[in-house]
Amino acid sequence: MKVVNLKQAILQAWKERWSDYQWAINMKKFFPKGATWDILNLAEALLEQAMIGPSPNPLILSYLKYAISSQMVSYSSVLTAISKFDDFSRDLCVQALLDIMDMFCDRLSCHGKAEECIGLCRALLSALHWLLRCTAASAERLQEGLEAGTPAAGEKQLAMCLQRLEKTLSSTKNRALLHIAKLEEASSWTAIEHSLLKLGEILANLSNPQLRSQAEKCGTLIRSIPTMLSVHSEQPHKTGFPTVHALVLLEGTMNLTGETQPLVEQLMMVKRMQHIPTPLFVLEIWKACLVGLIESPEGTEELKWTAFTFLKIPQVLVKLKKYSHGDKDFTEDVNCAFEFLLKLTPLLDKADQRCNCDFTDFLLQECRKQGLLSEASVNNLMAKRAVDREHAPQPKAGENANIQPNPGLILRAEPTVTNILKTMDADHSKSPEGLLGVLGHMLSGKSLDLLLAAAAATGKLKSFARKFINLNEFTTHGSEESTKAAPVRALLFDISFLMLCHVAQTYGSEVIMSESSTGAEVPFFETWIQTCMPEEGKILNPDHPCFRPDSTKVESLVALLNNSSEMKLVQMNWHEACLSISAAILEILNAWENGVLAFESIQKITDNIKGKVCSLAVCAVAWLVAHVRMLGLDEREKSLQMIRQLAGPLYSENTLQFYNERVVIMSSILEHMCADVLQQTATQIKFPSPGMDTMPYWNLLPPKRPIKEVLTDIFAKVLEKGWVDSRSIHIFDTLLHMGGVYWFCNNLIKELLKETRKEHTLRAVELLYSIFCLDMQQVTLVLLGHILPGLLTDSSKWHSLMDPPGTALAKLAVWCALSSYSSHKGQASSRQKKRHREDIEDYFSLFPLDDMQPSKLMRLLSSNEEDASSPTDRSMSSSLSASQLHTVNMRDPLNRVLANLFLLISSILGSRTAGPHTQFVQWFMEECVDCLEQGSRGSILQFMPFTTVSELVKVSAMSSPKVVLAITDLSLPLGRQVAAKAIAAL
């Protein structure tokens, strides 16, 4: 008989009662070549014939089972065929289909093309929908049976349905395939969610607890599919988190003016990477604030820390609250953190002592104001602390009684800043005397530092500085002014100038600079600070044109200083005087050197310079500092003597208002300016100081010791302690400036690789990450672009990558890569802008853009390979990655470095030699998976070539469905295909 089609062949087999293997042999004779059984829809044809009657045809079903077992038909075609059957009233047919599913539903696989694997995902999704509908129909039948008094049959079928559902869903591989299918077919997933809701409603009335719990378990498993990547175990066994501690200390010590958002994002990144529970996370932030405050040097630093703790950190927590799910939960976590904090009684007692107040009370009230704690929680916590405080060491009677506590002052200073900003907005010409009164009040005691710290912590310092620059600009000219108005204008100019210098030295000159707008005239003070003010790491040229103004103005200024008994004020152009003073000082110095002027004349001149306005003395010393640097050892004496003359106050009745207050600020400014030069020339100048160390973190490096020794020593001490303190942060920062990024990073990585104890390496990673935050972007480029490729491509260094230091380095590399990648789209912090950029090599030549051209990295790599052509002759297909499909900008150095690192990883996985470097790659990828959140589009793994996925699943530790889902970009169709192919083959 000539068989025309599939249906006829099946019917003939049934009529002639062929056995299953006989059927298979004959089928292959009937349909010899060409189309596969799936294209002919064999599974569907068999099921169609088997399900014609009220009960299934056992012979035809045996053919289907044989076809499944001998892999004549794919699992996806069988699942698709089953899901088309919808007459759930035919019990025996449904049970037969459930039995067929039972054959393979927990061991699905597909070794075909990517499209076939995606087909399997879709078929499984259809089968899941069918199972849910079947279960709902069985549950309805059971209810009807209960009402009619015949429950047994319905219960049996419902149990069978739930059993298959549970068996299908309990396989992680199946859930991973369903996860991909959900992204492929969103509408089908919506249908599944509806079926699940409907099933829940029907089963709610079910009396059998066993079946109900089984149904709930299946529902939970289905609902977990979309979020199967975001489940992370938190670390319950750890209580200290040095990275959070160091990050907060770093920010409080070096970046009070920074915006809160980057800090919030960085903290959240650490919280995610280290899986820190929220209460312990908040506790660590408070602990760091307490430690920073207690160990801060007296004076400005202490006020900065107080402002940071009481004004900035509550704002940071308010923003962190937005990241957490549910306000109520976060307030409970903050409450829980305070409960833990109250147990650290010695720390709180020390803070009370340092701040001369009930530290906890101030902090709790501030948190309550920001909505971080409820009234009841605050009262409860305060009551607990009050009991502890009774046993705290009390200060002696009278001691510190008159000193007002800093937290109270800082909290009062914050609204004052807003009021001052409003006052400064008024028209200066209308009531200059009133404005002078406000400024004079700001200069008294520690008011200025308090106001600046409060402004810095609340992000108002930039507008504060802008207002003072505008005032300073307003007071530079005085045409047609009266003798009464002239001193007021001189004072306004002087006070604003001194305040701005003080702000620049305390918080960095970036705060003062305006965003460059083309065409706008640059104010005098901005010009002066850019070109004439000595700062750390800025070398000035004393012969620069900015120090050489119009000669007629210089001559008239020299005459004025030399001949008159005191400085004239009326119609004085103060900005011109400030710019001319440097050339005037040069004339005067030359005259003194050549014996034209005697020392008495010099004293009179310097008294004139500093007698009325202190800013002239500041400008004079700024030039002298630059001048002294250029002189030989024996030529410096007179210049240094002149600095000495200008630094001391003038004891005279005839000075202008607020002279003593202005001199205090002037002395502090001059001390900062002269520090470097005085150290280099081994000179001492006594500045009238307010009684505390005005430069606490200056000159921290021990003399005559190689900086490498200092680096290894300080790191060893920090590692032993387990946390970084403010002083160490400043030393690390100085070493980073001196040695450069490559030297700094390379030597610290060498220290990490020397560690052999697991707990030490983990602690080292946590601390190194926070130290690297001094300049994370540049350190990451060096670490991923130079140090790691060097270790991975040089077989003589592979031994250093053994566990535990190798695991630790992999963790550190991933943390740095993730942090830099997530933040490099934003702006560098002001702390990092100061640093001179020193790219070790041009990243364009190191990693050329054209993938066909072998980069240095690839040439390095090929020298270690037996088959030298393999890594260099890469076709685009083998290095195609998600980043190229997302059209990421590859001119960005970080993107280039990441792309090349993943190419290197891909080559190592595909190479024939295995070793510690292969193991390192595995740890690196495991850490990437561990740190990633769900839906990680735009993460560093987008730079990994798609071909790496199939190489990775060959590594036993990485051959899990969840890993495959985590490392592929599922937002792309190609990414889903790659993932489906890898998972289906597991």
Side-chain angles (χ1 to χ4, degrees):
M1 172 189 170
K2 175 76 180 140
V3 174
V4 179
N5 62 21
L6 207 52
K7 189 175 174 182
Q8 283 180 328
I10 295 165
L11 285 172
Q12 186 185 348
W14 174 66
K15 279 177 194 163
E16 297 176 13
R17 298 290 188 269
W18 294 344
S19 65
D20 47 15
Y21 66 88
Q22 219 177 342
W23 167 81
I25 293 165
N26 288 334
M27 285 298 278
K28 283 171 188 169
K29 284 179 189 167
F30 291 151
F31 301 93
K33 279 191 177 70
T36 62
W37 299 113
D38 276 2
I39 291 173
L40 294 168
N41 271 344
L42 177 60
E44 197 175 322
L46 285 166
L47 268 184
E48 205 177 293
Q49 292 305 312
M51 299 292 162
I52 288 172
S55 64
N57 183 321
L59 185 62
I60 297 179
L61 276 186
S62 75
Y63 297 160
L64 178 60
K65 288 177 182 173
Y66 186 87
I68 294 169
S69 304
S70 61
Q71 294 185 354
M72 278 174 76
V73 289
S74 66
Y75 294 131
S76 55
S77 65
V78 180
L79 289 171
T80 309
I82 291 175
S83 58
K84 288 180 179 170
F85 181 85
D86 54 4
D87 186 357
F88 298 119
S89 60
R90 289 151 66 189
D91 291 1
L92 295 171
C93 290
V94 169
Q95 284 169 24
L97 291 175
L98 289 171
D99 283 340
I100 289 172
M101 278 194 82
D102 207 28
M103 289 173 67
F104 58 82
C105 67
D106 57 344
R107 50 188 180 84
L108 294 174
S109 64
C110 173
H111 296 275
K113 293 176 184 166
E115 293 78 15
E116 292 167 32
C117 300
I118 286 283
L120 177 61
C121 298
R122 289 187 163 129
L124 184 58
L125 193 65
S126 307
L128 175 64
H129 192 202
W130 181 83
L131 272 173
L132 287 170
R133 282 164 42 226
C134 185
T135 310
S138 307
E140 280 174 341
R141 292 275 304 286
L142 173 60
Q143 274 189 315
E144 287 163 14
L146 284 169
E147 286 158 18
T150 54
E155 199 164 285
K156 182 188 171 192
Q157 189 163 317
L158 179 60
M160 278 181 80
C161 288
L162 287 171
Q163 200 184 341
R164 300 306 177 276
L165 253 180
E166 193 177 353
K167 191 174 178 181
T168 306
L169 291 166
S170 55
S171 147
T172 313
K173 179 175 174 176
N174 286 358
R175 291 203 305 281
L177 293 171
L178 286 165
H179 183 87
I180 295 169
K182 169 196 168 285
L183 297 169
E184 281 284 321
E185 295 187 357
S187 55
S188 305
W189 185 258
T190 315
I192 282 182
E193 286 175 329
H194 285 310
S195 301
L196 197 57
L197 283 171
K198 187 183 168 192
L199 182 61
E201 286 163 17
I202 298 167
L203 292 174
N205 310 319
L206 200 64
S207 56
N208 185 329
Q210 193 183 345
L211 289 178
R212 204 167 56 232
S213 78
Q214 201 175 4
E216 280 166 9
K217 186 182 173 187
C218 292
T220 309
L221 283 169
I222 292 173
R223 278 186 284 272
S224 75
I225 288 169
T227 58
M228 67 184 295
L229 286 181
S230 54
V231 182
H232 274 308
S233 56
E234 297 198 327
Q235 296 185 338
H237 57 284
K238 271 186 76 173
T239 51
F241 299 94
T243 312
V244 178
H245 190 100
L247 257 181
V248 174
L249 270 175
L250 179 69
E251 203 70 13
T253 308
M254 304 186 96
N255 200 25
L256 180 61
T257 52
E259 289 178 27
T260 49
Q261 192 56 36
L263 173 61
V264 170
E265 283 168 14
Q266 205 167 18
L267 284 168
M268 277 310 290
M269 174 69 79
V270 172
K271 181 179 188 295
R272 280 196 301 266
M273 292 191 304
Q274 299 187 12
H275 314 311
I276 308 174
T278 309
L280 293 178
F281 176 63
V282 176
L283 170 68
E284 199 63 58
I285 292 174
W286 287 131
K287 268 164 57 180
C289 289
L290 279 158
V291 170
L293 191 56
I294 291 165
E295 66 171 24
S296 61
E298 210 178 320
T300 315
E301 287 300 314
E302 187 183 351
L303 293 179
K304 280 184 177 181
W305 263 106
T306 313
F308 182 72
T309 305
F310 289 93
L311 296 177
K312 191 166 185 177
I313 289 294
Q315 289 303 322
V316 168
L317 290 178
V318 168
K319 289 196 171 180
L320 284 171
K321 182 178 181 177
K322 290 175 187 162
Y323 282 84
S324 74
H325 309 294
D327 286 2
K328 199 166 186 309
D329 296 348
F330 192 76
T331 49
E332 278 168 20
D333 287 335
V334 173
N335 182 44
C336 183
F338 272 109
E339 293 276 5
F340 288 141
L341 189 64
L342 290 186
K343 291 177 182 159
L344 306 173
T345 316
L347 189 67
L348 291 172
D349 289 348
K350 193 105 173 129
D352 287 0
Q353 229 171 339
R354 181 73 206 259
C355 298
N356 193 30
C357 65
D358 183 347
F359 178 89
T360 322
D361 180 16
F362 275 108
L363 205 50
L364 291 170
Q365 295 299 355
E366 205 50 34
C367 287
R368 183 181 54 76
K369 269 189 242 166
Q370 300 292 350
L372 295 166
L373 282 172
S374 65
E375 190 75 52
S377 302
V378 169
N379 294 337
N380 173 35
L381 291 162
M382 275 163 65
K384 285 184 180 175
R385 178 65 188 144
V387 175
D388 283 346
R389 284 199 81 200
E390 286 170 15
H391 308 295
Q394 297 299 322
K396 296 185 186 106
E399 189 186 334
N400 294 347
N402 303 326
I403 301 174
Q404 283 191 297
N406 282 338
L409 292 172
I410 278 286
L411 292 169
R412 284 209 299 281
E414 192 216 353
T416 314
V417 169
T418 315
N419 293 336
I420 288 172
L421 288 174
K422 281 182 194 160
T423 310
M424 298 288 289
D425 278 334
D427 185 352
H428 304 318
S429 57
K430 286 189 178 156
S431 63
E433 290 85 359
L435 185 58
L436 183 60
V438 172
L439 297 192
H441 185 68
M442 279 172 69
L443 293 181
S444 60
K446 56 182 180 183
S447 299
L448 180 60
D449 282 330
L450 270 167
L451 291 167
L452 292 180
T458 50
K460 293 178 187 149
L461 190 59
K462 209 159 177 61
S463 59
F464 201 81
R466 275 270 53 78
K467 302 268 193 292
F468 277 96
I469 283 180
N470 295 341
L471 170 65
N472 184 266
E473 194 66 9
F474 167 76
T475 54
T476 50
H477 303 276
S479 53
E480 301 173 17
E481 66 180 346
S482 64
T483 45
K484 189 183 171 196
V488 175
R489 184 173 66 85
L491 278 169
L492 287 175
F493 174 84
D494 199 38
I495 292 172
S496 57
F497 187 95
L498 292 171
M499 276 186 180
L500 288 165
C501 285
H502 184 61
V503 169
Q505 287 181 338
T506 315
Y507 295 100
S509 51
E510 303 80 30
V511 181
I512 284 168
M513 296 321 204
S514 57
E515 274 67 40
S516 53
S517 55
T518 49
E521 195 180 332
V522 181
F524 152 71
F525 188 81
E526 273 191 50
T527 313
W528 182 82
I529 201 166
Q530 270 179 309
T531 50
C532 310
M533 178 158 162
E535 285 180 285
E536 189 188 0
K538 180 164 127 189
I539 305 296
L540 298 173
N541 171 12
D543 300 325
H544 190 278
C546 71
F547 292 121
R548 297 278 169 274
D550 182 357
S551 57
T552 52
K553 288 176 183 167
V554 175
E555 281 166 23
S556 60
L557 182 62
V558 171
L560 183 70
L561 292 170
N562 194 21
N563 302 331
S564 57
S565 57
E566 62 179 47
M567 197 76 182
K568 77 158 192 160
L569 303 176
V570 181
Q571 292 185 8
M572 185 74 172
N573 289 343
W574 290 111
H575 66 300
E576 287 179 4
C578 284
L579 291 171
S580 308
I581 192 84
S582 50
I585 290 283
L586 178 61
E587 297 282 327
I588 292 159
L589 259 180
N590 287 339
W592 188 18
E593 298 266 356
N594 297 319
V596 178
L597 287 175
F599 181 62
E600 289 71 31
S601 308
I602 299 296
Q603 268 183 312
K604 180 186 149 195
I605 288 169
T606 51
D607 284 354
N608 266 343
I609 291 173
K610 66 189 178 184
K612 298 288 185 194
V613 289
C614 299
S615 36
L616 273 184
V618 172
C619 295
V621 173
W623 178 81
L624 280 165
V625 165
H627 181 63
V628 169
R629 278 181 190 277
M630 304 298 168
L631 300 175
L633 201 60
D634 50 345
E635 301 168 321
R636 293 173 179 164
E637 192 189 335
K638 286 193 163 56
S639 300
L640 289 168
Q641 207 166 345
M642 194 172 257
I643 293 177
R644 233 182 236 109
Q645 289 296 317
L646 288 165
L650 176 69
Y651 300 104
S652 152
E653 308 291 307
N654 205 7
T655 53
L656 292 175
Q657 244 177 316
F658 310 118
Y659 186 68
N660 292 341
E661 289 88 345
R662 285 182 290 135
V663 164
V664 170
I665 300 182
M666 177 185 84
S667 303
S668 150
I669 294 166
L670 297 186
E671 190 175 352
H672 276 84
M673 274 186 183
C674 300
D676 279 349
V677 148
L678 296 183
Q679 186 191 20
Q680 287 160 10
T681 56
T683 314
Q684 283 190 326
I685 291 181
K686 186 87 182 86
F687 293 94
S689 73
M692 52 201 142
D693 187 359
T694 50
M695 299 178 65
Y697 293 122
W698 186 76
N699 196 19
L700 291 171
L701 297 188
K704 297 181 183 172
R705 272 194 76 193
I707 55 172
K708 187 175 175 197
E709 269 181 39
V710 180
L711 182 67
T712 49
D713 267 18
I714 191 82
F715 182 63
K717 279 179 191 155
V718 162
L719 192 56
E720 194 181 338
K721 259 200 306 195
W723 53 279
V724 187
D725 57 287
S726 304
R727 193 170 179 280
S728 309
I729 287 174
H730 279 271
I731 294 176
F732 280 124
D733 192 48
T734 312
L735 290 168
L736 177 54
H737 270 291
M738 289 178 102
V741 183
Y742 180 81
W743 174 87
F744 184 77
C745 183
N746 194 29
N747 282 307
L748 284 174
I749 295 297
K750 281 179 185 169
E751 292 305 303
L752 170 64
L753 293 176
K754 283 179 196 168
E755 289 299 332
T756 50
R757 286 173 57 188
K758 193 165 187 177
E759 61 273 27
H760 272 196
T761 54
L762 187 62
R763 189 194 293 173
V765 167
E766 293 180 329
L767 292 169
L768 277 175
Y769 171 80
S770 49
I771 293 164
F772 286 169
C773 284
L774 284 165
D775 197 349
M776 183 55 87
Q777 290 289 330
Q778 292 296 308
V779 167
T780 305
L781 288 176
V782 164
L783 179 60
L784 305 185
H786 295 268
I787 295 171
L788 276 190
L791 288 167
L792 291 172
T793 53
D794 183 350
S795 52
S796 66
K797 293 178 182 166
W798 287 351
H799 66 90
S800 62
L801 296 175
M802 306 279 264
D803 193 32
T807 327
L809 179 59
K811 194 182 272 292
L812 179 63
V814 172
W815 287 3
C816 290
L818 285 174
S819 296
S820 290
Y821 191 73
S822 69
S823 68
H824 91 303
K825 299 179 192 76
Q827 293 301 307
S829 76
S830 59
R831 191 179 68 236
Q832 290 165 2
K833 277 184 209 154
K834 283 184 220 169
R835 179 158 300 107
H836 165 62
R837 284 276 159 267
E838 39 111 7
D839 288 343
I840 304 116
E841 259 184 273
D842 175 14
Y843 283 92
F844 294 113
S845 64
L846 187 70
F847 308 125
L849 199 59
D850 178 8
D851 199 60
M852 302 306 286
Q853 176 195 355
S855 66
K856 280 190 191 177
L857 184 63
M858 283 303 161
R859 288 201 296 280
L860 263 174
L861 186 70
S862 62
S863 62
N864 270 347
E865 287 282 343
E866 295 156 45
D867 176 11
S869 66
S870 65
T872 45
D873 299 344
R874 322 194 124 247
S875 65
M876 270 312 282
S877 62
S878 68
S879 62
L880 181 67
S881 65
S883 61
Q884 285 155 308
L885 299 178
H886 287 310
T887 58
V888 168
N889 171 21
M890 291 312 283
R891 302 202 74 75
D892 180 279
L894 183 62
N895 293 350
R896 302 173 80 84
V897 165
L898 284 165
N900 274 274
L901 181 65
F902 278 107
L903 273 178
L904 173 56
I905 283 174
S906 185
S907 313
I908 288 171
L909 286 168
S911 92
R912 297 184 208 135
T913 47
H917 63 308
T918 324
Q919 184 73 59
F920 176 86
V921 165
Q922 182 194 317
W923 291 324
F924 183 89
M925 295 307 295
E926 278 175 358
E927 191 58 37
C928 282
V929 172
D930 195 40
C931 292
L932 284 178
E933 303 164 274
Q934 170 152 28
S936 55
R937 180 194 159 169
S939 84
I940 59 169
L941 283 173
Q942 66 176 325
F943 294 99
M944 181 182 72
F946 286 121
T947 48
T948 311
V949 178
S950 54
E951 294 291 346
L952 258 180
V953 290
K954 294 175 189 170
V955 181
S956 58
M958 303 297 281
S959 60
S960 88
K962 275 194 178 182
V963 168
V964 176
L965 287 182
I967 61 178
T968 40
D969 188 337
L970 299 174
S971 66
L972 293 169
L974 184 55
R976 293 196 287 274
Q977 285 181 18
V978 168
K981 192 170 185 327
I983 293 170
L986 287 175

